[in-house]
Amino acid sequence: QQQVKQSPQSLIVQKGGISIINCAYENTAFDYFPWYQQFPGKGPALLIAIRPDVSEKKEGRFTISFNKSAKQFSLHIMDSQPGDSATYFCAASMGTSGSRLTFGEGTQLTVNP
Amino acid sequence: GAVVSQHPSRVICKSGTSVKIECRSLDFQATTMFWYRQFPKQSLMLMATSNEGSKATYEQGVEKDKFLINHASLTLSTLTVTSAHPEDSSFYICSAPTSGGRNEQFFGPGTRLTVL
């Protein structure tokens, strides 16, 4: 029940296209769903996060869509750029601040020029 | 966002030696910090939860005597890999959550450990 499943494992998109990464979870107690972006040799950076009381959150070119009944959430990157090429991780946690994160397996995104 | 630093960024050591990695929250206080290890092209694996002023909580399968954690202040946690061996070579990353109920966790830049 602690797992977060992420797909696809890798994704290749043309510049200007839309990148979509999906995650599914089992534990209905999860109440915080962040996405992290990681470049090679660097630590993950918080990109955007959502809570289950909203179905969508948008920040710039990045949008999270959240489907509570299906226990799924996804990251959409609009107008994908070569600089977006990185590994993306979804995660989930529950409870108050400081709760441990359960990570998805990661998606390696390549945006071709 | 909040800033978390790690030191050193890279370390190469001989088998059998001990290595200490520091994790600092630079602009906020963190009563809890997390330590992860990450192998190439894999996800982050939580090793332990570091608690200020008390013992760390280790994940199943992580040897507490090999990976010593000390959280001596509200801004500093250290991970010491004792008697390191080549299989301990990995990317070690710490994270710290901010307070205030927002659940946001910020990660350090990571430490690349290579054991010869």
Side-chain angles (χ1 to χ4, degrees), chain A residues 78-96:
Chain A
M78 312 299 287
D79 187 26
S80 298
Q81 299 297 312
D84 296 330
S85 297
T87 301
Y88 292 81
F89 293 97
C90 64
S93 70
M94 67 182 109
T96 57

Side-chain angles (χ1 to χ4, degrees), chain A residues 12-13 32 46 69 71 74 77 89 93 95 102 105 110-112:
Chain A
I12 299 175
V13 174
Y32 176 69
L46 180 61
S69 60
K71 293 186 286 186
S74 60
I77 305 175
F89 293 97
S93 70
T102 299
E105 299 91 339
T110 301
V111 181
N112 289 326

Side-chain angles (χ1 to χ4, degrees), chain A residues 36 38 51 97 99-100 104, chain B residues 38 43 59 98 102-103 105:
Chain A
Y36 286 88
Q38 185 180 31
R51 296 189 182 277
S97 177
S99 296
R100 50 187 288 178
Chain B
Q38 185 180 34
S43 188
E59 296 300 303
T98 56
R102 296 188 61 187
N103 270 30
Q105 278 198 40

Side-chain angles (χ1 to χ4, degrees), chain A residues 9 31-32 36 38 41-46 51 89 93-101 103-106 108, chain B residues 32 34 36 38 41-44 46 49 59 91 93 97-110 112:
Chain A
Q9 187 176 10
D31 60 1
Y32 176 69
Y36 286 88
Q38 185 180 31
K42 306 294 184 183
L46 180 61
R51 296 189 182 277
F89 293 97
S93 70
M94 67 182 109
T96 57
S97 177
S99 296
R100 50 187 288 178
L101 290 168
F103 280 91
E105 299 91 339
Q108 187 167 349
Chain B
T32 301
F34 298 94
Y36 297 82
Q38 185 180 34
K41 297 190 183 299
Q42 292 190 19
S43 188
L44 288 81
L46 180 64
T49 302
E59 296 300 303
F91 194 50
I93 314 172
T98 56
S99 60
R102 296 188 61 187
N103 270 30
E104 291 183 340
Q105 278 198 40
F106 293 89
F107 284 78
R112 172 73 60 193

